[in-house]
């Protein structure tokens, strides 16, 4: 299709393009052409071109410009998408709609290799879910969070990018030289940034694959020297770690109370415990506080320093965090 274009020498191209843009004369639907030392800049109409350039208007047949498009533009509605590295995650029960969203994501300007749909809730001791791969072929990715890189496979380990800000709040409290025990460490989103701040971190997880990724991620992020990664049930943590921790992370919200005896065992003389819990909105912090006091017994004075609602988990249920200081009596 014939389109009016302003033809200029190449070295004047950018100056003229800027003038045409300022005049509102640029035609964004067609590509600029470069032929030998001449440049052809598509314009909407010759009348819109500044007077001193009008003699340079010629007719050309440039390619149509491919415009980046969002999934919403393609679909006509805005689907809810979550990004994790180069994976796009959707949560759609209707199979036909899930496929339609995946096709739109792949055809859009969203940079991604794979679209996954949630195929189960998070399940079992290892807190992993099943996935349907709608486009692409893998469930492994490298995710970046606050300057650190985490390789992980969402079909084999737990990871939630939604908790990035929450993790950041905790990581920022860490001082160089601290001894930290991350009791349910996953692929290391607490342990690795804490080690990067100068803490020595013992990172434990029951999931062998999570610990393999954590070791790789420690290397990727240059903190191997400050991380001890341990596969197994944290309740069986070696006696070497008894009475050592300045800080403990307990991110297993459905059953952290079952592990409080271990937390009290590894706590040093003055230790902050970050305790995650899921409770009814009517008393979100009471059960955790009582469980911690009971586990601490006479051995420690217990001071609750923070009570925080992290997010809404289900109707009338919150995912909460208690920061509790244990001081040996
Ligand atoms: N902290 C990580 C994060 O934020 O991504 C992982 C949290 S995930 C909710 C809980 C983790 O606890 C899972 O990786 C699971 O394998 C691990 N886990 C469950 N029971 C455990 C146990 N008895 N000892 C050690 N780890 C356990």
């Amino acid at each position: 299709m014939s389109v009016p274009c302003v033809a200029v020498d190449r070295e004047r191209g950018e100056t003229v393009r800027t003038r045409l843009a300022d005049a509102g004369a640029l035609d964004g639907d067609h590509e600029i052409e470069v032929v030998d030392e001449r440049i052809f800049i598509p314009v909407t109409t010759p009348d819109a071109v500044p007077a001193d350039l009008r003699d340079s208007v010629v007719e050309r047949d440039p390619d149509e410009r491919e415009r980046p498009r969002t999934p919403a533009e393609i679909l006509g509605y805005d689907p809810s998408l979550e990004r994790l590295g180069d994976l796009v995650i959707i949560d759609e029960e209707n199979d036909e709609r899930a496929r339609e969203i995946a096709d739109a994501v792949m055809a859009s300007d969203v940079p991604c290799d794979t679209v996954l749909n949630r195929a189960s809730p998070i399940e079992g001791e290892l807190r992993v879910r099943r996935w349907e791969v709608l486009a692409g072929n893998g469930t492994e990715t490298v995710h970046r969070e606050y300057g650190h890189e985490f390789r992980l496979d969402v079909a084999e380990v737990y990871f939630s990018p939604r908790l990035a800000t929450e993790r950041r709040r905790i990581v920022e409290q860490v001082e160089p030289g601290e001894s930290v025990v991350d009791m349910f460490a996953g692929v290391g989103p607490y342990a690795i940034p804490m080690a990067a701040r100068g803490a020595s971190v013992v990172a434990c997880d029951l999931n062998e694959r999570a610990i393999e990724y954590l070791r790789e991620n420690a290397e990727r992020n240059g903190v191997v020297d400050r991380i001890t990664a341990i596969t197994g049930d944290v309740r069986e943590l070696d006696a070497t770690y008894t009475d050592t921790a300045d800080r403990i992370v307990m991110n297993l919200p459905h059953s952290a109370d079952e592990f409080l005896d271990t937390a009290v065992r590894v706590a040093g003389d003055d230790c902050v415990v970050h305790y995650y819990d899921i409770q009814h909105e009517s008393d979100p912090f009471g059960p955790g506080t009582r469980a911690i006091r009971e586990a601490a017994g006479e051995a420690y004075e217990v001071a609750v320093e923070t009570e925080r609602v992290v997010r809404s988990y289900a109707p009338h249920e919150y995912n909460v965090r208690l920061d509790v200081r244990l001081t040996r009596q």
Side-chain angles (χ1 to χ4, degrees):
M1 195 186 105
S2 173
V3 169
C5 294
V6 171
V8 287
D9 290 342
R10 207 168 167 169
E11 67 263 23
R12 289 182 57 225
E14 185 49 30
T15 313
V16 171
R17 195 200 64 77
T18 307
R19 284 189 62 205
L20 293 169
D22 291 345
L26 275 186
D27 165 8
D29 292 336
H30 292 90
E31 296 284 0
I32 293 174
E33 285 183 295
V34 180
V35 181
D36 299 327
E37 288 309 303
R38 301 283 284 165
I39 190 162
F40 298 91
I41 306 169
V43 290
T44 48
T45 101
D47 292 346
V49 174
D52 61 307
L53 292 171
R54 263 182 223 153
D55 286 349
S56 310
V57 175
V58 295
E59 288 293 318
R60 301 279 302 177
D61 186 11
D63 289 340
E64 283 199 18
R65 199 161 152 209
E66 277 189 29
R67 287 172 160 274
R69 291 206 300 163
T70 65
E73 282 170 332
I74 295 168
L75 291 165
Y77 58 87
D78 202 358
S80 160
L81 308 175
E82 193 170 5
R83 300 285 307 276
L84 177 60
D86 58 8
L87 310 177
V88 167
I89 293 171
I90 66 172
D91 187 6
E92 179 54 60
E93 282 179 14
N94 180 309
D95 287 350
E96 210 173 298
R97 198 169 149 113
R99 207 146 283 289
E100 173 182 274
I101 295 172
D103 289 346
V105 169
M106 294 305 277
S108 76
D109 57 350
V110 173
C112 82
D113 286 344
T114 302
V115 183
L116 304 177
N117 194 11
R118 293 181 170 91
S120 78
I122 290 180
E123 296 170 323
E125 268 191 313
L126 305 188
R127 313 306 299 145
V128 179
R129 75 164 93 234
R130 281 174 283 121
W131 300 92
E132 182 186 5
V133 181
L134 293 167
N137 54 13
T139 47
E140 188 181 63
T141 193
V142 177
H143 179 68
R144 284 171 193 79
E145 186 170 291
Y146 289 104
H148 294 103
E149 282 190 358
F150 301 95
R151 182 184 287 281
L152 63 118
D153 186 331
V154 287
E156 295 192 281
V157 301
Y158 174 92
F159 191 88
S160 172
R162 290 183 195 170
L163 296 174
T165 312
E166 166 58 23
R167 288 192 273 267
R168 190 74 194 152
R169 284 196 189 101
I170 303 303
V171 168
E172 280 179 341
Q173 299 175 29
V174 171
E175 300 289 343
E178 281 188 10
S179 293
V180 176
V181 176
D182 186 354
M183 291 175 62
F184 315 103
V187 301
Y190 287 91
I192 286 168
M194 286 179 166
R197 286 178 70 90
S200 295
V201 184
V202 175
C204 182
D205 204 289
L206 198 54
N207 183 344
E208 199 175 331
R209 287 295 288 140
I211 290 295
E212 282 171 17
Y213 277 117
L214 188 145
R215 289 201 172 105
E216 181 186 332
N217 292 331
E219 258 180 52
R220 273 181 171 268
N221 293 282
V223 293
V224 174
D225 295 352
R226 286 195 293 280
I227 295 217
T228 307
I230 298 171
T231 308
D233 186 331
V234 69
R235 286 172 287 210
E236 287 158 24
L237 206 56
D238 194 277
T240 326
Y241 303 110
T242 299
D243 294 344
T244 57
D246 301 314
R247 187 180 300 277
I248 298 174
V249 183
M250 298 186 74
N251 183 16
L252 184 62
H254 285 283
S255 48
D257 57 332
E258 295 167 24
F259 296 84
L260 279 167
D261 289 348
T262 304
V264 169
R265 172 167 75 84
V266 299
D269 292 347
D270 181 27
C271 175
V272 174
V273 182
H274 304 291
Y275 179 89
Y276 289 92
D277 203 359
I278 289 173
Q279 292 295 342
H280 194 265
E281 63 185 7
S282 59
D283 185 17
F285 304 107
T289 306
R290 288 190 287 277
I292 295 167
R293 287 192 191 285
E294 193 182 327
E298 297 295 307
Y300 286 93
E301 185 189 319
V302 175
V304 177
E305 296 189 337
T306 317
E307 293 179 336
R308 185 176 181 89
V309 174
V310 176
R311 59 177 169 172
S312 159
Y313 179 76
H316 310 295
E317 277 193 313
Y318 290 142
N319 179 187
V320 298
R321 186 188 81 233
L322 287 162
D323 297 334
V324 177
R325 185 172 293 276
L326 302 180
T327 310
R328 201 182 297 281
Q329 321 216 60

